[in-house]
Amino acid sequence: MEALRHFLHPVDESLLYGLPDSVGSKIQFYWDDKLEENSIVIIGCPDLRGTGHSKEFSNIRLIREEFYRLIWNDWNIKLYDLGDIIPGDEWEDTDFALRKVLEELLEMKVQPIVLGGNMGLNYTVYKALSILNKPLNYTAVDTKIEIENAKGKLTDKNYLSKMIVEDVNLLFNFTNIGYQSYYVSQSTLKKFNTLDFEGIRLGNIASNIKDSEPVFRSSDFVGINLDSVESYDGTLSTGSTVNGFTNREICSISRYVGLSKQIKIIGIYNFLGYSYNKMNEKLVSQMLWYLIDGKNQQEYYENDEYIKYTVIHEDKELVFLKDKYVDKWWLSIDIEGDGNAVFLVPCSLNDYKDALEGNVPERYWKTFKKFL
């Protein structure tokens, strides 16, 4: 508990909102020796240094003001808000403090939500998760795919490269959801494909948001860059653009993130908090609400009874499994060809339909190659 006490500044009590059915009346702000397992813990990290924006710190207080006013949806879950990481004199100090806090929270088996701050904090999350000593799947909801030189100070443009070149590289898979082609060069996409990572364009995923669910189902940590949400006045995030996910789409995505039982840490990044109205903070507070609502539905979304579908493709059998009760699909990959080493890849109904048309899902090949 040393890191929690040393590096966190508690929530301002003037923000407490006491209506009986509100989030503010149910959320916990204090703890004794331990947090309840499987609870959700909000951690603010307002440090925006490394984004290149003129504002160095985001105003997370505004999100809390709106979030605490929302209705508590009879959730059977503990929710804590432990306050904000105290920004250090240098960005590296903030990075160190957040990592130590996250490591302690992981040991308590709770799910942290990192709120605000630089998208580069996903590297900090990655380092914290390294204590698990297992391969990690990372998903970014982001407008851009940036793989810049890993040398130099951590920024939102080189954090992915730093993950890739780690001495002990635990990054098994990376998926970018919602990239926009006019922000991503062909050379970057070629490098991305060489690494067998997956990129899903904004247009492809926006036409069927539900196709994002299988990606989150297999993710260990998720970073949502608010740059990926359309913002006409440019005040939502450090890199706001006019195109992106609509407010409804990003809330749907947030709920799918919440539904994933595998995700250990979630981040919502690059929030500015300097708008003249309250629309931006209302949106982020509602994203939080949907994350928690999804988490609360996990127990109804996990079953172990499946229907098996086999698709013959040339000399290969593609085996799909469908949950008997909810619309969840998996692609079963026989790594050694003898049935003794089977790897399940979350997929969608559309992947199954594509296979019926004679097309092997791309995620099948990308996953299979990782075991060669």
Side-chain angles (χ1 to χ4, degrees), residues 128-141:
L129 284 167
S130 296
I131 66 172
L132 302 177
N133 196 30
K134 63 179 286 293
L136 299 169
N137 294 333
Y138 165 49
T139 298
V141 181

Side-chain angles (χ1 to χ4, degrees), residues 98-229:
L98 178 61
R99 178 161 57 91
K100 290 301 179 183
V101 166
L102 291 176
E103 286 175 355
E104 282 195 0
L105 293 175
L106 288 170
E107 288 174 359
M108 296 181 199
K109 298 181 180 178
V110 300
Q111 184 177 58
I113 297 178
V114 182
L115 194 57
N118 176 350
M119 188 70 175
L121 291 173
N122 283 298
Y123 179 61
T124 310
V125 171
Y126 170 77
K127 288 192 296 182
L129 284 167
S130 296
I131 66 172
L132 302 177
N133 196 30
K134 63 179 286 293
L136 299 169
N137 294 333
Y138 165 49
T139 298
V141 181
D142 204 346
T143 301
K144 300 177 181 179
I145 299 173
E146 296 181 293
I147 311 179
E148 291 195 359
N149 195 316
K151 295 180 180 179
K153 289 190 174 184
L154 178 66
T155 70
D156 58 356
K157 296 177 175 59
N158 69 3
Y159 78 90
L160 181 60
S161 298
K162 287 183 177 290
M163 287 186 201
I164 294 169
V165 300
E166 280 281 289
D167 292 336
V168 180
N169 187 354
L170 296 176
L171 188 63
F172 181 76
N173 191 42
F174 169 58
T175 303
N176 184 288
I177 291 178
Y179 81 87
Q180 298 177 35
S181 297
Y182 36 77
Y183 288 131
V184 183
S185 69
Q186 288 300 308
S187 61
T188 297
L189 287 176
K190 287 178 182 177
K191 187 184 299 184
F192 200 69
N193 288 327
T194 300
L195 294 166
D196 289 321
F197 292 157
E198 183 178 6
I200 306 175
R201 288 180 57 245
L202 173 65
N204 291 341
I205 199 68
S207 62
N208 192 354
I209 289 294
K210 194 173 183 179
D211 281 349
S212 66
E213 185 275 333
V215 179
F216 297 127
R217 204 189 319 154
S218 62
S219 300
D220 294 288
F221 63 115
V222 172
I224 301 176
N225 188 346
L226 291 172
D227 293 356
S228 66
V229 183

Side-chain angles (χ1 to χ4, degrees), residues 200-331:
I200 306 175
R201 288 180 57 245
L202 173 65
N204 291 341
I205 199 68
S207 62
N208 192 354
I209 289 294
K210 194 173 183 179
D211 281 349
S212 66
E213 185 275 333
V215 179
F216 297 127
R217 204 189 319 154
S218 62
S219 300
D220 294 288
F221 63 115
V222 172
I224 301 176
N225 188 346
L226 291 172
D227 293 356
S228 66
V229 183
E230 60 183 29
S231 174
Y232 297 113
D233 64 0
T235 59
L236 171 60
S237 63
T238 58
S240 292
T241 60
V242 294
N243 280 311
F245 291 111
T246 66
N247 294 351
R248 288 189 179 90
E249 288 168 349
I250 200 65
C251 285
S252 294
I253 284 173
S254 298
R255 189 170 187 278
Y256 287 132
V257 172
L259 281 171
S260 172
K261 214 168 188 176
Q262 184 165 318
I263 294 174
K264 313 294 188 303
I265 301 177
I266 303 164
I268 301 176
Y269 301 108
N270 287 22
F271 176 74
L272 271 179
Y274 295 95
S275 61
Y276 63 89
N277 57 37
K278 295 189 176 184
M279 294 300 103
N280 294 333
E281 42 267 38
K282 284 180 185 293
L283 172 61
V284 180
S285 71
Q286 289 172 25
M287 289 170 62
L288 279 173
W289 192 94
Y290 278 104
L291 281 171
I292 297 163
D293 196 56
K295 171 83 170 177
N296 192 66
Q297 293 294 318
Q298 280 181 8
E299 62 180 299
Y300 308 108
Y301 202 61
E302 295 292 334
N303 303 290
D304 56 5
E305 296 182 46
Y306 312 107
I307 303 170
K308 180 179 177 180
Y309 298 87
T310 302
V311 179
I312 306 299
H313 179 78
E314 297 178 353
D315 61 344
K316 188 182 300 296
E317 281 192 355
L318 298 179
V319 177
F320 290 85
L321 301 176
K322 180 188 180 296
D323 191 295
K324 265 190 173 183
Y325 303 102
V326 294
D327 188 23
K328 290 198 301 182
W329 291 75
W330 287 264
L331 180 56

